[in-house]
Amino acid sequence: MLSVEKYIRFNLTVSNIEKALQKYKNSNLAEYNLRSTHMLCLVSLKYGEAMTAADLADVCAVNKALISRVTADLFDMGYIEYTADSINKKYKKKITLTESGLNVTDEIVEKITSAVTSVSGQISETRLAVFYDVLFTIEKNLTNLAKND
């Protein structure tokens, strides 16, 4: 296959995967009144330590303005809380999951686990390891290419 044909095929495949993934996430998160960035924050807090909004923005690879809106939503829903310490600025306080946040995150993680098993369960661990290694290398190379433009 020519390089241009590979590029077109790769581009269409990645685009189709993104569309299908977004549709799946939106339909499964709708019952919780959450979007994908909410979910990413909840899961990051579940499997990480308490962190500030700035740390959460870095982990989730989104800007601070979006994290501010998302954490405000999650706080209003009762899913996160801010640590009680001497820091007055909310943005510098550590964020943790509430009991309710932990419960909803557990439900979401269960759905994620089921989805991953559904789409990759018939692929061997060896092939998946190679796939992810190649995918992450392509991501890194494309990111570097974009930085150089």
Side-chain angles (χ1 to χ4, degrees):
M1 201 181 314
L2 296 173
S3 293
V4 173
E5 291 170 335
K6 286 180 185 175
Y7 171 79
I8 292 168
R9 177 72 180 163
F10 177 79
N11 204 1
L12 289 173
T13 301
V14 169
S15 180
N16 288 337
I17 289 170
E18 174 61 21
K19 288 175 190 170
L21 185 58
Q22 197 62 40
K23 183 176 180 182
Y24 178 81
K25 286 189 294 187
N26 288 342
S27 69
N28 279 276
L29 293 173
E31 70 181 275
Y32 305 103
N33 198 28
L34 299 172
R35 304 290 290 169
S36 51
T37 306
H38 294 103
M39 180 262 315
L40 190 55
C41 289
L42 290 170
V43 173
S44 296
L45 288 167
K46 176 179 172 56
Y47 292 103
E49 298 177 11
M51 59 185 93
T52 65
D55 295 334
L56 197 54
D58 288 341
V59 167
C60 297
V62 297
N63 64 50
K64 292 177 183 177
L66 179 56
I67 279 297
S68 181
R69 291 189 301 274
V70 168
T71 54
D73 291 344
L74 294 173
F75 181 80
D76 290 345
M77 291 178 202
Y79 293 156
I80 63 168
E81 60 191 0
Y82 296 92
T83 57
D85 54 25
S86 60
I87 300 172
N88 289 330
K89 295 185 177 181
K90 186 160 74 169
Y91 203 70
K92 294 188 181 252
K93 290 186 177 205
K94 300 274 186 178
I95 302 168
T96 58
L97 292 175
T98 62
E99 186 69 29
S100 177
L102 187 58
N103 290 338
V104 78
T105 304
D106 285 343
E107 289 178 26
I108 291 168
V109 166
E110 201 172 297
K111 289 181 181 218
I112 291 169
T113 303
S114 176
V116 169
T117 301
S118 175
V119 299
S120 64
Q122 55 282 58
I123 303 170
S124 73
E125 289 295 322
T126 303
R127 288 183 66 205
L128 279 174
V130 170
F131 166 76
Y132 283 117
D133 185 51
V134 170
L135 184 65
F136 297 149
T137 300
I138 289 171
E139 176 200 23
K140 182 180 85 177
N141 292 344
L142 284 172
T143 301
N144 288 336
L145 183 65
K147 284 180 184 175
N148 293 330
D149 277 349

